[in-house]
Structures are given as C-alpha cells and as structure tokens.
Amino acid sequence: MSQEGQLKFERTSSNRCGVTMSAGVEGTAVAEVMGEKPGVEIRKYPAMIRIDADNKLEFDLEEIAEALGVEEFTPEDFEIETSTHYGRMVKLDDRVLLFANPEDAAEAIGFELPTKE
C-alpha cells in the first residue's frame, strides 16, 4: 500500500493556528470578515467553518460586530461560536489573537518566559 495520502507524524511545528466555528450566522460573519485578510484560509463544511493561517490570526471584534449588525461582539461571544482551536489564544477586550508559537503569544501579553540555562 502506498503511503501517499496517509497522515504522517512529525515532531516539528506546523507554524499554523486556527479555529473551527459553527456554520451559523455568527460563524459565517466571522469567516466573511477573516476571508478578506491576506494569508487566511477559509474552508466551509455543512455544519462548521475552518479558519486557519500561518503564524498568527487576529480577530477584530469590532469588525465582526459591524458585519453582524450588532453593537458589540465580545471575546466571550467569540468563544461561544468556537468549537475548537489550535495555537495559543490571547483574548483582549477588542480582539482575539491566535499564535502558532507560544513565545509570540507570551510577547503579545508582556509575559516573560523563563530562560533556559
């Protein structure tokens, strides 16, 4: 049997991050907003939407609220619509960030990682 098309395990970083969202009104609006951003990949399935990118994803909650026609879309609203994610998630008041690299996430929130000696 050929190994083409089979999954392969590697202990290296993919440098990817992403979310799976419900394919409802909110998830569709998020996908439409994110689909306009360079380097963001959107894949739609019957009940879910995948949003993936290299290195970093930045969800601007004001842009999403505007697309939905609502006054506010909070990090908690975002989490309700997200069924799963991969990468390090950082929730701020006005945006949700996902990083492929944990060091980048730590830097974004001003957390100093212990140095290796």
Side-chain angles (χ1 to χ4, degrees):
M1 173 183 237
S2 169
Q3 288 191 1
E4 266 186 281
Q6 291 185 0
L7 296 177
K8 182 179 173 187
F9 176 77
E10 293 184 25
R11 287 198 180 271
T12 59
S13 173
S14 70
N15 290 320
R16 305 276 293 165
C17 55
V19 297
T20 302
M21 306 198 87
S22 66
V25 172
E26 292 84 356
T28 299
V30 171
E32 287 174 4
V33 167
M34 296 304 291
E36 298 294 317
K37 300 188 183 293
V40 175
E41 296 175 21
I42 308 293
R43 287 178 285 164
K44 295 183 178 183
Y45 300 96
M48 66 181 187
I49 300 169
R50 291 281 317 164
I51 303 171
D52 302 282
D54 289 335
N55 302 315
K56 178 182 175 185
L57 272 169
E58 183 170 340
F59 297 88
D60 183 320
L61 301 179
E62 289 179 20
E63 282 182 332
I64 295 167
E66 187 176 315
L68 284 167
V70 297
E71 195 171 309
E72 182 180 48
F73 192 77
T74 67
E76 291 74 25
D77 295 326
F78 181 87
E79 277 193 303
I80 289 168
E81 298 305 319
T82 303
S83 61
T84 189
H85 75 276
Y86 68 104
R88 302 302 189 262
M89 184 181 285
V90 174
K91 294 187 301 180
L92 305 172
D93 290 339
D94 64 341
R95 62 194 66 245
V96 174
L97 308 170
L98 277 169
F99 296 92
N101 185 334
E103 289 82 8
D104 293 340
E107 183 178 321
I109 60 172
F111 180 77
E112 196 167 320
L113 294 170
T115 57
K116 296 178 184 176
E117 293 183 27

